[in-house]
Each structure stands twice: as C-alpha cells, then as structure tokens.
Amino acid sequence: QVYHSSFVDDDSITKACGCPLLPLKTHIKGPAPTSEPDKADIVDEAITFFRANVFFKNFHVKSPADKLLIYLTFYINIALKRLEGCRTIAVGTKAIINLGLEKVPVPGEPGFPFPGLFTLPVSQEEAELLRNYLKQIREETSGRLLSCAYRANGFPNKWWLAFAKRKFMNIVIL
C-alpha cells in the first residue's frame, strides 16, 4: 500500500491550482509559510516515503497534500537521475543547482509531468504563486536530498542512487 501524506486537508491552508502551499522548514525565500523546526514537513515525508512509493504504478489521492507528495516523489526521481553519474558531492551539488535553475512548469504548460494532478490556473497571479512555491519546494528538496544521496565522506550512497533507475508511476524521465 502507498504511503500517504499525514497533512490532512485544512481549510486554513492557502491553495494554488488545487495544490496546498504547506509550511516548510526552509531558509529559501518563497511563498511557503515557515514550519516549526522540530516538526516534519512535506519534504521530510517525500524523502522518507520515496523509496517505498517509487515502486507503485498507481497512487490513490486521499488529500490535496498527496498531490504534492506525488509531485515531490517525481521530482526526487528526476534529481536522483541527475545525480546518478556524479561521483562526488561537489559534482552532485553542481548538477542539483543546474536542475534548480531550470524553468518550473505549472499545470497547462508543456513539460508539466501530471496534467490532471492540479487544476489549471485561473489567473497569471495564481500561476506565478504556484511556480514560485514549486521552485522553493524543489530547491529545499534538492538540498535535503544531497545529504541522503551522499555519505559524510562526500561519496555517493548507492542505497539511494540505485533508485534513479526506477520509474515512478511508469513515467519515463529523459
């Protein structure tokens, strides 16, 4: 059974295109509210559940937070694919930074991986809010993923990078 997010639907959480803008433990500037440092956030959940969830071809969405978990699982899969050939943390960091500099597509734009996952933006402001949030959450996920994908000595952790070969929900990553 797929691991679902523990963040339940809360009416007080702002949404953009049906994506909840959940709080993050981050120092990166963006629209995400700040989370308490001692509590797990959606990025922690995505990294924790990644190695189990990546094996599933279907994912039953129980809450809007699950949609964000799906998006982050797919992003972690892309990031691991980029890190696959990087033999040191310095080279891996450069690859992740380059991934972070890429344009973040939103629903309705070419390159968005899950067309039906989030609703289409009703305004340019909503599209930019979601784009900025996704950019912020991707950067935060990348930073935390580096500490998992590489050991303290700076060399790759094969128990993480082996998952770059997996296809999440049968989506081929180029």
Side-chain angles (χ1 to χ4, degrees):
Q1 191 175 27
V2 176
Y3 287 94
H4 293 278
S5 177
S6 64
F7 295 96
V8 292
D9 194 15
D10 186 2
D11 293 335
S12 65
I13 294 176
T14 307
K15 291 186 178 85
C17 300
C19 174
L21 306 182
L22 296 172
L24 299 175
K25 298 182 295 190
T26 185
H27 62 279
I28 298 168
K29 286 185 75 170
T34 306
S35 175
E36 296 174 25
D38 57 332
K39 289 181 72 178
D41 63 4
I42 190 71
V43 175
D44 291 331
E45 280 190 351
I47 291 173
T48 302
F49 297 154
F50 172 77
R51 292 189 288 180
N53 284 348
V54 78
F55 288 104
F56 292 97
K57 298 190 183 343
N58 300 311
F59 196 110
H60 179 70
V61 176
K62 290 187 175 180
S63 71
D66 279 348
K67 295 177 181 182
L68 191 54
L69 189 63
I70 291 169
Y71 181 85
L72 286 175
T73 302
F74 182 71
Y75 177 73
I76 291 169
N77 202 219
I78 292 171
L80 288 175
K81 195 70 135 168
R82 296 279 175 97
L83 293 174
E84 195 174 23
C86 302
R87 293 287 145 224
T88 64
I89 194 166
V91 177
T93 302
K94 186 175 181 181
I96 285 292
I97 289 171
N98 288 337
L99 179 62
L101 294 175
E102 293 178 6
K103 185 178 185 292
V104 178
V106 295
E109 292 181 354
F112 191 75
F114 301 102
L117 189 61
F118 300 119
T119 59
L120 295 176
V122 293
S123 66
Q124 188 62 34
E125 292 80 24
E126 185 180 25
E128 284 308 309
L129 176 63
L130 182 61
R131 185 183 325 278
N132 291 335
Y133 181 75
L134 292 178
K135 184 171 178 53
Q136 181 184 12
I137 203 166
R138 286 167 62 138
E139 287 180 32
E140 184 62 33
T141 303
S142 296
R144 294 189 206 174
L145 186 61
L146 280 172
S147 63
C148 296
Y150 290 90
R151 298 187 186 282
N153 64 5
F155 291 103
N157 181 344
K158 68 178 181 180
W159 302 113
W160 266 94
L161 293 179
F163 284 87
K165 294 173 178 35
R166 299 293 313 170
K167 289 188 293 187
F168 178 58
M169 293 176 66
N170 269 348
I171 298 174
V172 177
I173 302 167
L174 302 174

